[in-house]
Amino acid sequence: MNKFLAGAIAGTAATVPMTMLMLYLHKQIPKKERRVLPPKQITVKVAKEAGADELVDEKGKRNLVSLVNHFSYGAAMAALYASFAPNIDLPPAIKGTAYGLAVWAGSYQGWLPLFDIREPATERPNSENAMMIASHIVWGAVMGVMVEGLSDRD
């Protein structure tokens, strides 16, 4: 299987348990600390900045567009991972987890604040950061194992 396709499939599939964990942990955060989930917050901000308010003007559409964006980003980041992962001599779950954490840091401490889409993680509640880090660990581990398994089917 083409490595980019294997990555995209693995990233999409790994976003399922990631999202389930994120939703579960979000409900565990005390209500006074609980904010809109980051994928939805990012989608709404980008859509409004792009003048595409109609994509997020209704709750159902906002949820659907947020989910599509979330899964698409997971697929894209995993396709990128699949391009270099075979060159790293570590177990798939370990290198996938490390990459998942790098995606979190690069996004929530990097390009999102850089482009003024979201404040840096250091300015968010610790409970939210813990939720997001745990979710990215799950995504990375599952994605890494799946990329390895799909890539072995050449």
Side-chain angles (χ1 to χ4, degrees), residues 85-105:
N87 302 320
I88 300 172
D89 190 26
L90 287 171
I94 299 296
K95 58 185 169 179
T97 297
Y99 184 70
L101 289 169
V103 168
W104 174 81

Side-chain angles (χ1 to χ4, degrees), residues 11-12 15 19 39-40 43 55 60-76:
T12 301
T15 304
T19 304
K40 189 181 296 185
T43 298
L55 289 176
K61 287 197 311 192
R62 184 170 44 252
N63 289 343
L64 178 61
V65 173
S66 297
L67 245 130
V68 168
N69 286 342
H70 183 56
F71 276 81
S72 297
Y73 191 67

